[in-house]
Amino acid sequence: QVHLVESGGGLVQPGGSLRLSCTSSGSPLDSYAIGWFRQAPGKEREGISCISASDGVAYYLDHAKGRFTTSRDNAKNTVYLQMNSLETEDTATYYCATLRTCVQMGPGYANGYWGQGTQVTVSS
């Protein structure tokens, strides 16, 4: 089965960048679409992006367009989330999750396999 692990979070100043990684220590990810989500304290989880398994096409929720980019390297069994021009409002725990296809993507998605999350803190 799939066991997801996120990494790459940390402390960054406003305007800075981070690249998050999502990998599996179990079954490979190449047959799954992978979504990125985040949850800030006191707020509900929100979706960020999804990258398809078959053709690698990426999709973004409106708030993530222009600053976030998701990609995948199946040879490394890894999916990435590149985050640029970070703002304090981006502070949250970031999660990756498997989806059957990106058509399932949405803030209410709670199926599939999930990682434990990686903390991103944007502060000066």
Side-chain angles (χ1 to χ4, degrees):
Q1 63 181 144
V2 175
H3 177 68
L4 297 179
V5 179
E6 303 95 340
S7 62
L11 176 64
V12 63
Q13 294 185 343
S17 299
L18 286 174
R19 187 178 73 165
L20 307 183
S21 297
C22 173
T23 190
S24 172
S25 62
S27 300
L29 298 179
D30 57 4
S31 63
Y32 296 96
I34 299 295
W36 286 96
F37 303 79
R38 68 184 183 185
Q39 187 167 22
K43 297 182 64 178
E44 292 194 349
R45 187 182 65 235
E46 63 178 357
I48 299 170
S49 66
C50 182
I51 185 165
S52 66
S54 59
D55 55 13
V57 174
Y59 305 87
Y60 303 92
L61 275 71
D62 288 343
H63 69 87
K65 293 178 180 177
R67 296 192 299 121
F68 292 4
T69 303
T70 188
S71 61
R72 68 192 305 158
D73 185 340
N74 287 335
K76 292 183 171 64
N77 196 34
T78 302
V79 176
Y80 303 99
L81 181 67
Q82 178 69 45
M83 306 188 295
N84 299 323
S85 302
L86 287 166
E87 304 166 355
T88 56
E89 293 78 11
D90 295 316
T91 296
T93 302
Y94 285 70
Y95 303 89
C96 61
T98 63
L99 302 86
R100 193 172 189 273
T101 71
C102 283
V103 72
Q104 299 177 287
M105 184 64 185
Y109 181 75
N111 297 318
Y113 298 96
W114 291 73
Q116 293 298 306
T118 185
Q119 178 67 38
V120 172
T121 302
V122 185
S123 176
S124 59

